[in-house]
């Protein structure tokens, strides 16, 4: 069982359904309808999608800045589990490779509602910097969707929990979950 007092979370691809938002941005802003979710087979979009690199870059910037027509949705069940973790532990730590929080802070506050005063979002600006933040905060479990980050976490003694996505379906021996209810069942709530 995962101890919720030493558990933290990534945001994009774990809590926030960022890749469906990305697909909506391609459709709404660039009239690109040919890409589907399962086409995103690696985290480096230019390596798996036949889309102009400038469009990929500007789509990512739109996500970071909140400059899009579509709605960013949470992963199903995320809000319930996050609220439960915050209520049980008095803290909810999110560590993201985003360079700055931007509009994701308000979005997360809305998502966790009454537990927002227990929310802490740390932006690192890089995937590699997550490990130090987690170690400094005494975290032993981290829910992540980027497999390369999971390798770094494991090397540092942090147990990665892989949130299954099309871009992380490579062989590994980490705990893998496919949904928030599945994660909830593995957390040892008091």
């Amino acid at each position: 069982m995962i101890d919720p007092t030493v558990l933290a979370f990534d945001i994009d691809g774990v809590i926030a359904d960022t890749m469906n938002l990305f697909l909506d941005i391609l459709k709404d802003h660039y009239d690109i309808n040919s890409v589907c979710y399962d086409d995103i087979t690696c985290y480096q979009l230019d390596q798996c999608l036949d889309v102009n690199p400038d469009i990929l870059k500007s789509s990512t910037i739109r996500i970071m800045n909140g400059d899009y027509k579509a709605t960013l949705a949470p992963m199903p069940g995320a809000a319930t589990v996050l609220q439960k973790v915050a209520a049980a532990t008095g803290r909810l730590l999110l560590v993201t490779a985003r360079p700055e929080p931007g509009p994701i802070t308000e979005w997360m506050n809305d998502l966790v509602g009454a537990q927002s005063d227990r929310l802490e979002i740390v932006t690192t600006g890089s995937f590699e910097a997550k490990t130090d933040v987690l170690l400094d905060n005494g975290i032993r479990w981290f829910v992540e969707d980027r497999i390369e980050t999971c390798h770094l976490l494991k090397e540092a003694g942090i147990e990665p929990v892989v949130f299954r996505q099309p871009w992380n379906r490579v062989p590994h021996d980490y705990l893998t979950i496919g949904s928030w209810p599945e994660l909830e069942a593995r957390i040892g709530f008091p």
Side-chain angles (χ1 to χ4, degrees), residues 39-109:
D39 292 337
I40 307 170
T41 57
C42 63
Y43 212 85
Q44 294 300 118
L45 298 173
D46 60 338
Q47 295 177 9
C48 61
L49 300 179
D50 186 22
V51 175
N52 180 312
D54 291 334
I55 291 175
L56 294 176
K57 183 178 179 179
S58 63
S59 297
T60 303
I61 291 169
R62 283 180 180 278
I63 290 170
M64 297 299 142
N65 294 337
D67 181 25
Y68 43 82
K69 299 173 189 172
T71 300
L72 175 59
M75 294 294 192
T80 301
V81 178
L82 292 170
Q83 291 167 2
K84 193 172 177 181
V85 168
T89 66
R91 177 180 182 201
L92 185 58
L93 179 63
L94 311 180
V95 181
T96 176
R98 288 176 178 238
E100 54 189 60
I104 203 69
T105 299
E106 184 178 338
W107 186 87
M108 281 302 314
N109 283 329

Side-chain angles (χ1 to χ4, degrees), residues 20-161:
N20 269 317
L21 175 61
F22 167 74
L23 295 176
D24 288 340
I25 289 170
L26 288 181
K27 292 174 191 170
D28 295 344
H29 298 274
Y30 304 101
D31 200 29
I32 296 174
N33 298 298
S34 58
V35 180
C36 66
Y37 202 88
D38 286 332
D39 292 337
I40 307 170
T41 57
C42 63
Y43 212 85
Q44 294 300 118
L45 298 173
D46 60 338
Q47 295 177 9
C48 61
L49 300 179
D50 186 22
V51 175
N52 180 312
D54 291 334
I55 291 175
L56 294 176
K57 183 178 179 179
S58 63
S59 297
T60 303
I61 291 169
R62 283 180 180 278
I63 290 170
M64 297 299 142
N65 294 337
D67 181 25
Y68 43 82
K69 299 173 189 172
T71 300
L72 175 59
M75 294 294 192
T80 301
V81 178
L82 292 170
Q83 291 167 2
K84 193 172 177 181
V85 168
T89 66
R91 177 180 182 201
L92 185 58
L93 179 63
L94 311 180
V95 181
T96 176
R98 288 176 178 238
E100 54 189 60
I104 203 69
T105 299
E106 184 178 338
W107 186 87
M108 281 302 314
N109 283 329
D110 290 344
L111 185 68
V112 298
Q115 299 297 334
S116 64
D117 60 329
R118 298 174 179 195
L119 176 64
E120 179 182 359
I121 299 174
V122 178
T123 57
T124 63
S126 76
F127 299 106
E128 297 78 14
K130 288 182 174 184
T131 303
D132 288 339
V133 171
L134 296 170
L135 291 171
D136 289 347
N137 282 276
I139 299 301
R140 294 195 338 242
W141 295 89
F142 188 68
V143 184
E144 171 68 57
D145 66 312
R146 184 176 179 266
I147 203 71
E148 295 82 2
T149 304
C150 291
H151 299 325
L152 297 172
L153 297 172
K154 186 67 174 181
E155 288 173 15
I158 300 165
E159 288 298 324
V161 179

Side-chain angles (χ1 to χ4, degrees), residues 160-183:
V161 179
V162 179
F163 196 94
R164 187 178 301 114
Q165 294 286 7
W167 53 90
N168 63 27
R169 294 190 182 157
V170 295
H172 61 78
D173 60 355
Y174 309 132
L175 173 61
T176 301
I177 51 111
S179 69
W180 279 88
E182 187 178 339
L183 175 62

